[in-house]
Amino acid sequence: MKLKMIAMAVLAAAAGAAQADDIAQRVETLLRQMTLEEKAGQLNQLSGKEFSTGPNSDNVRNIERDIRSGKVGSMLNIKGVRDTRRVQALALQSRLHIPLLFGLDVIHGYQTVFPVPLGEAASWDLEAIEESARIAAREAASAGIHWTFAPMVDVGRDPRWGRVMEGAGEDTYLGSRIAAARVRGFQGAKLGGTASVMATAKHFAGYGAAIAGRDYNAADMSEHQLHETYLPPFKAALDAGAATFMNAFNTLNGVPATGNAMLQREILKGQWGFKGFVVSDWGSVREMVVHGYAQDLPDAAAKAIAAGSDMDMESNAYGASLPALVKAGKVDIAAVDDAVRRVLTKKFELGLFDDPYRFSDEAREKAALNDPRHREAARRIAAESMVLLKNEGNALPLRRGLRSIAVIGPLADARRDLEGGWIVQSNAAKMASLVDAVRAHAGQGVRVDTAAGCDVACRGLDGFDAALKLAATADTVVLAVGESWDMSGEAKSRAHLGLPGRQGELFEALRAIGKTPVVVIMAGRPLIFENVAEQAKAILYAWHPGSEGGNAIADVLFGDVNPSGKLPMTFPRNMGQIPIGYQQYNTGRPVQTESNVVYKSAYIDSPNTPRYAFGHGLSYTSFAYSGLRASSTTMRPDGKILLSFTLTNSGPVAGAEVVQLYLRDPVASVVRPLKELKGFQRVALQPGQAQTIAFTIDRETLAFYNRKLEWGAETGTFEVMVGSASDDIRLKQTIELTER
Ligand code: BGC
């Protein structure tokens, strides 16, 4: 049996290699037939946004003409079986009949909308995250899409930057695991399946380190920081098979990412051996002129292709300039050929030369877009992504037998806002708002009333009275506040992270009439809400939870689902603490040093500690950690230590805990943070149930980049910590790495 399996695996590998050889040959044959203009065309990507709105505009006509003459290799923003078929047919009229690639931002769902990626990351559930990407891929691929511009794997440590919404938060390890899960989900086992799309690891690199959290701003960091913090999620995406990368708008240490040969040629295609292709970000080739890095559009094109940007999204730089640049000897034809090979290879791998329409299938589209299992998954995953920040006196779940509930606040009856920032098309009309869902859960005989109090911007108090009047007569009050869908995301940097406008005063007003509400906060990023954090009894952070968000919030409020999310990003107390992450250094003057009361690394007007730490999240049950055992306390360089302990559900209801493993290397040639996440597991337990949890520690776990950027572990002692959050360590163990 075993032999048979090995034989089958060998055969499959051989078939894979043969297919790769075959594709390589077909690519070479095609390349030899191509003119310089046709080669430049393959590297030219244009937006078809106007195709659905104004099919007769000059711009659309020009693009259609260019497609027919082989001057376009890929389109973005065209979707649906009808449109993708129509536009693909134009490409097939070109001299060499090379099919187009259709790319789209399928970020947190195509039709079925899942929580915004930061919210989904809060589930720490890699299977669920993979599943949501699979569903998005299935829906998109059936509608003619070959390629999604996701996942965004930029580490984000500054909540002012609105695009933290689109990533997996502040941590490199968690971000790397999630990056791999998302790539697996989008791409499936192998490119070419009609329920999969190519993934894009973006934005390479450093985009999340925008100075002052202002989108598109410069990033400036040590190489050490780049390698240690920002690059690993990209490497993880690549190892998971990411077919494409997207570069970034920002400069990194003075050089635009799009024109950055160190990033794209040395690291990505050199050291990492990436075989896919790199697409620029929207207009980022052209923007190198604005940055002050290129003289004009042709100069930008020359610099971008030399640096390893293979496809030009919407700058019209490659198509317009590459042929002349090659003829003038300013661009090496080898660089163009290499880029074209990479793009054509993906088109072959997707099977588009065999059937250019294979992704645009009406029956499959209908089946995928009407599959009720997708909505069920969206509800389950949304509920899992929610984080119970506070729950004093078990204010949640809501008691059974309430006679009346008032759902107050600007997001109480919101639908579009539930969907969050980056969707393909809104399904708001078909969605349940939070009030709808509370009504459905509460059942007959319970009065459920709602009043907004104000809109999300909440500039005036006019609506407060009506809301207060309604709340005054209710048994319990739920207050839904936070951001509208368009307050987080691209170009949505915020200099103030409080609840928008006067929303916080609505909370105060309810308190003043003796109706302290249970607070539900929806947002695409960590917000600052000190009065609520201090005075509310219960706070549920729901992010922007997607199509099924209203139902999922109600599932948690009523206790049908026990919350299990944990923060993937630190929540500050105030703006002055930003950037704040759990990966802090001890400094020479940590706050604990009593002998040095004044001259310490602290603020004179704020604690150092965040409001809610990375990894924090409560449950309706409690978990006990006990009996930490290490298989050995010393480890040789090639050895392993098995760390195990018992996790017990010590509370009254079933629940899931995300146990977290942190490490500190107290003395090293490069000072290490006080804590670094090195592992986690999501464990579901029945009340009273106990389970042994094990983590394996080896040299990899202890390794880091030294000053020479060499990856390795240094001998000596290490502190290993296991806990329920980065600030809630329950068990500790010291281990030692020996020389031999
Ligand atoms: C964003 C990318 C996105 C692209 C295409 C850009 O503005 O930065 O993440 O994929 O637009 O829509």
Side-chain angles (χ1 to χ4, degrees), residues 189-320:
K190 183 166 165 281
L191 284 190
T194 49
S196 301
V197 291
M198 295 199 292
T200 310
K202 73 186 189 186
H203 306 83
F204 196 63
Y207 184 45
I211 293 171
R214 210 182 68 215
D215 207 0
Y216 316 127
N217 204 1
D220 208 309
M221 66 176 85
S222 68
E223 267 198 75
H224 195 256
Q225 170 88 307
L226 176 70
H227 282 267
E228 177 158 309
T229 305
Y230 289 89
L231 292 186
F234 287 97
K235 180 63 167 45
L238 185 149
D239 290 343
T244 75
F245 268 52
M246 183 185 290
N247 58 35
F249 290 125
N250 57 286
T251 55
L252 176 68
N253 301 340
V255 178
T258 306
N260 202 312
M262 184 268 286
L263 284 172
Q264 300 175 113
R265 290 238 181 258
E266 276 174 43
I267 297 176
L268 179 61
K269 294 176 177 174
Q271 291 161 29
W272 294 358
F274 174 61
K275 296 282 182 285
F277 69 87
V278 180
V279 63
S280 79
D281 203 347
W282 179 289
S284 69
V285 176
R286 182 182 54 230
E287 285 175 18
M288 293 209 293
V289 178
V290 189
H291 276 295
Y293 190 74
Q295 194 64 42
D296 49 24
L297 199 62
D299 188 30
K303 285 181 167 142
I305 190 99
S309 292
D310 299 307
M311 185 181 276
D312 164 13
M313 180 193 285
E314 264 295 320
S315 284
N316 277 305
Y318 282 10

Side-chain angles (χ1 to χ4, degrees), residues 429-444:
K430 295 187 207 139
M431 285 165 45
S433 69
L434 176 57
V435 189
D436 297 337
V438 167
R439 276 206 181 100
H441 274 75
Q444 285 194 340

Side-chain angles (χ1 to χ4, degrees), residues 272-574:
W272 294 358
F274 174 61
K275 296 282 182 285
F277 69 87
V278 180
V279 63
S280 79
D281 203 347
W282 179 289
S284 69
V285 176
R286 182 182 54 230
E287 285 175 18
M288 293 209 293
V289 178
V290 189
H291 276 295
Y293 190 74
Q295 194 64 42
D296 49 24
L297 199 62
D299 188 30
K303 285 181 167 142
I305 190 99
S309 292
D310 299 307
M311 185 181 276
D312 164 13
M313 180 193 285
E314 264 295 320
S315 284
N316 277 305
Y318 282 10
S321 322
L322 282 183
L325 287 165
V326 172
K327 283 176 198 148
K330 290 187 179 152
V331 163
D332 188 349
I333 183 69
V336 176
D337 283 348
D338 176 58
V340 175
R341 264 189 206 104
R342 288 169 182 268
V343 171
L344 292 178
T345 302
K346 291 301 161 207
K347 293 187 177 182
F348 275 108
E349 285 174 10
L350 289 168
L352 295 180
F353 283 95
D354 304 320
D355 177 2
Y357 302 105
R358 63 194 293 262
F359 285 79
S360 312
D361 183 301
E362 225 160 278
R364 224 172 33 235
E365 183 184 42
K366 204 160 164 222
L369 301 187
N370 292 298
D371 190 334
R373 290 172 303 179
H374 295 187
R375 271 305 197 50
E376 282 160 31
R379 182 166 177 168
R380 171 167 40 82
I381 294 171
E384 255 191 32
S385 74
M386 293 177 192
V387 183
L388 183 63
L389 294 176
K390 183 175 181 184
N391 195 19
E392 242 173 53
N394 295 329
L396 282 176
L398 296 176
R399 277 182 293 118
R400 299 279 159 188
L402 293 169
R403 278 164 303 142
S404 58
I405 304 173
V407 189
I408 305 292
L411 292 167
D413 203 21
R415 289 180 182 79
R416 173 64 191 90
D417 294 315
L418 293 172
E419 293 180 306
W422 207 321
I423 59 164
V424 175
Q425 70 207 10
S426 175
N427 298 299
K430 295 187 207 139
M431 285 165 45
S433 69
L434 176 57
V435 189
D436 297 337
V438 167
R439 276 206 181 100
H441 274 75
Q444 285 194 340
V446 183
R447 211 185 74 221
V448 177
D449 291 319
T450 185
C454 56
D455 62 6
V456 179
C458 204
R459 295 210 174 80
L461 306 179
D462 294 354
F464 276 31
D465 276 351
L468 293 173
K469 214 163 170 185
L470 215 143
T473 61
D475 281 353
T476 202
V477 180
V478 174
L479 176 66
V481 288
E483 293 187 318
S484 56
W485 67 271
D486 54 357
M487 286 179 176
S488 279
E490 186 176 350
K492 298 292 156 50
S493 294
R494 288 180 64 190
H496 304 281
L497 290 178
L499 292 171
R502 306 181 76 164
Q503 289 185 20
E505 291 174 48
L506 185 55
F507 170 78
E508 300 287 354
L510 287 166
R511 261 179 60 77
I513 60 162
K515 289 287 174 186
T516 302
V518 160
V519 181
V520 175
I521 302 179
M522 301 180 205
R525 50 148 69 95
L527 294 178
I528 296 172
F529 40 88
E530 283 296 277
N531 62 336
V532 176
E534 269 158 25
Q535 293 155 2
K537 290 209 161 41
I539 306 171
L540 181 69
Y541 214 77
W543 315 102
H544 285 138
S547 314
E548 285 293 323
N551 289 323
I553 297 172
D555 288 342
V556 174
L557 293 179
F558 284 87
D560 295 344
V561 173
N562 187 352
S564 57
K566 302 273 190 179
L567 296 179
M569 235 184 130
T570 304
F571 277 44
R573 294 173 190 272
N574 53 60

